[in-house]
Amino acid sequence: MTHAQAARPDPADADADALGVDAETMRALYRFMALTRALDEGAAALQRQGELAVYPQLLGQEAAQVGSAAALARSDWIVPSYRELGAAIVRGIDPVEYLAFYRATWNGGMWDPLAHRFAPVCVPVASQIPHAVGLAMGCKLDEAADCCLVYFGDGATSQGDFHEGCNWAGVFQVPVILFCQNNQWAISMPVHGQTGAPIHRKAEAYGFPGIQVDGNDVVAVYRAVRDAAERARAGRGPTLIEAVTYRLGAHSTADDAGRYRSDSEVERWRALDPLARHRRWLVEHRLAADDLFRAVDEEAAELAQRVRTGVIATTPRPADELFRWVYEDPPATLVRQRNETIGDG
Ligand SMILES: Cc1ncc(C[n+]2csc(CCOP(=O)(O)OP(=O)(O)O)c2C)c(N)n1
Ligand SMILES: [Mg+2]
């Protein structure tokens, strides 16, 4: 059931029409990646200035995130881990609301997950996978023509939650896309320390297709997810997609990647920068020129500035919110803790 790598032809001889992605979408993918790059860098800077508690950069993974999120319908569900700023931007979430989690002013982010069909930030590794499979199972039971895409990393495939989610998805032919961003590292653990087999091949054991795609090729990712979503909506079940990419930054602002990986490895991947690559491709195919890139750069700089101002203006939420929304009738222990924290008024 393993499918061949869905790479697109070499930029020099690729026929844009044959890829089945229109020119407007090709340009939109670039714009989303450029906005993501600017906001990701802006968020890392905000953390260094003490405005965010922590931030996990997605630098280098823009194609994997933007290509996948853009290939979905607006009514499809997205279940992120903690590194999915790019997907949130594609889905139209206000980056200030997204970054509230990292400013530690709100658990999970300020946006409405139901309205955006974008679940809260999830840090316990792989725990979002069974949630996503359940969400997709709900779509199936409702006979809704929607699917659900869940993001997770290479390291998450070592967790039981990944295997339980895959098993359930395969048995019940759930409309879910299991989207692994194999960025080669789980903090300081390289991917060969996580798995003895290529990640996409694990799907075979669960009875559904597994695809490996060049995760630094935004069009290849877009096409792979579009196909998987069509399969899911047609009732043909799950797909595991392994997007091979690279985390150019540290694991997070709390990590020093120089302690466990070489500069030469990073430089090798930097040469495969997905943003520069798609830009070159657009130019070579005369789908965009300097005026578009200039306009996008200006938009990205303005957006990053607006987000910066918005994040800095965000104040802590009322303390009693820590105790709300879990229980209709909170247990006495929680009521006591709440009263100790904020008084019983
Ligand atoms: C259950 C659990 N164990 C450990 C951690 C600490 N932790 C946070 S991220 C991470 C690595 C995850 O790597 P991967 O799944 O490859 O995702 P990436 O960070 O590379 O995007 C670990 C071990 C955690 N958050 N949750
Ligand atoms: Mg990883």
Side-chain angles (χ1 to χ4, degrees):
M1 289 264 235
T2 305
H3 288 208
Q5 180 157 339
R8 83 193 200 243
D10 188 79
D13 54 19
D15 176 350
D17 294 338
L19 294 169
V21 183
D22 62 51
E24 198 184 324
T25 303
M26 292 284 194
R27 287 189 284 268
L29 293 172
Y30 178 82
R31 174 176 167 268
F32 280 132
M33 283 202 287
L35 298 183
T36 300
R37 175 72 55 95
L39 289 173
D40 188 56
E41 284 175 349
L46 279 168
Q47 194 283 332
R48 289 295 185 239
Q49 292 155 13
E51 298 292 350
L52 297 180
V54 69
Y55 180 69
Q57 274 201 273
L58 66 102
L59 185 66
Q61 298 178 217
E62 294 87 351
Q65 288 191 20
V66 165
S68 51
L72 297 174
R74 177 61 180 74
S75 54
D76 292 330
W77 292 91
I78 294 178
V79 178
S81 71
Y82 42 79
R83 204 185 289 286
E84 270 71 59
L85 174 66
I89 290 169
V90 172
R91 191 37 73 86
I93 290 171
D94 182 342
V96 176
E97 297 193 347
Y98 179 84
L99 292 172
F101 176 83
Y102 301 95
R103 191 163 165 84
T105 43
W106 187 239
N107 45 353
M110 291 296 296
W111 69 91
D112 179 345
L114 297 181
H116 286 90
R117 298 210 160 199
F118 194 100
V121 169
C122 181
V123 173
V125 170
S127 64
Q128 74 277 21
I129 299 173
H131 298 163
V133 171
L135 205 58
M137 186 76 186
C139 295
K140 183 174 171 143
L141 293 174
D142 288 347
E143 295 177 11
D146 304 319
C147 64
C148 174
L149 182 144
V150 56
Y151 289 102
F152 54 92
D154 41 294
T157 66
S158 299
Q159 293 283 105
D161 278 348
F162 166 73
H163 297 280
E164 290 167 27
C166 285
N167 192 52
W168 182 282
V171 168
F172 293 99
Q173 288 294 292
V174 167
V176 69
I177 302 168
L178 298 137
F179 191 86
C180 178
Q181 292 177 82
N182 175 3
N183 64 6
Q184 313 302 320
W185 291 92
I187 313 185
S188 56
M189 175 63 72
V191 67
H192 60 75
Q194 295 284 353
T195 173
I199 288 168
H200 67 286
R201 292 193 54 199
K202 296 174 194 295
E204 192 174 346
Y206 298 109
F208 53 84
I211 295 167
Q212 191 182 59
V213 65
D214 180 344
N216 280 16
D217 181 337
V218 70
V219 183
V221 173
Y222 180 88
R223 296 175 78 216
V225 172
R226 188 176 60 182
D227 290 351
E230 273 169 22
R231 288 188 66 249
R233 289 195 207 96
R236 288 189 286 129
T239 306
L240 172 64
I241 298 179
E242 176 191 0
V244 179
T245 182
Y246 193 75
R247 193 197 77 205
L248 284 171
H251 170 71
S252 77
T253 47
D255 173 46
D256 173 6
R259 292 176 60 174
Y260 54 80
R261 69 180 188 185
S262 69
D263 290 347
S264 62
E265 176 183 304
V266 178
E267 286 318 308
R268 233 179 20 252
W269 282 91
R270 205 182 290 284
L272 303 173
D273 180 330
L275 182 64
R277 178 175 173 183
H278 191 50
R279 180 176 171 141
R280 276 198 308 276
W281 192 84
L282 289 171
V283 171
E284 279 164 19
H285 290 83
R286 298 191 180 79
L287 292 176
D290 283 348
D291 54 344
L292 175 106
F293 301 130
R294 244 194 323 272
V296 168
D297 284 350
E298 271 169 33
E299 182 189 359
E302 274 167 30
L303 179 62
Q305 187 51 46
R306 179 180 74 70
V307 169
R308 186 181 164 72
T309 310
V311 166
I312 292 171
T314 310
T315 49
R317 302 288 304 174
D320 84 300
E321 287 187 347
L322 276 174
F323 302 94
R324 280 165 44 187
W325 294 300
V326 175
Y327 294 98
E328 175 83 26
D329 296 310
T333 46
L334 200 64
V335 172
R336 198 182 67 239
Q337 287 172 26
R338 177 188 174 280
N339 293 346
E340 281 170 8
T341 307
I342 58 165
D344 50 12

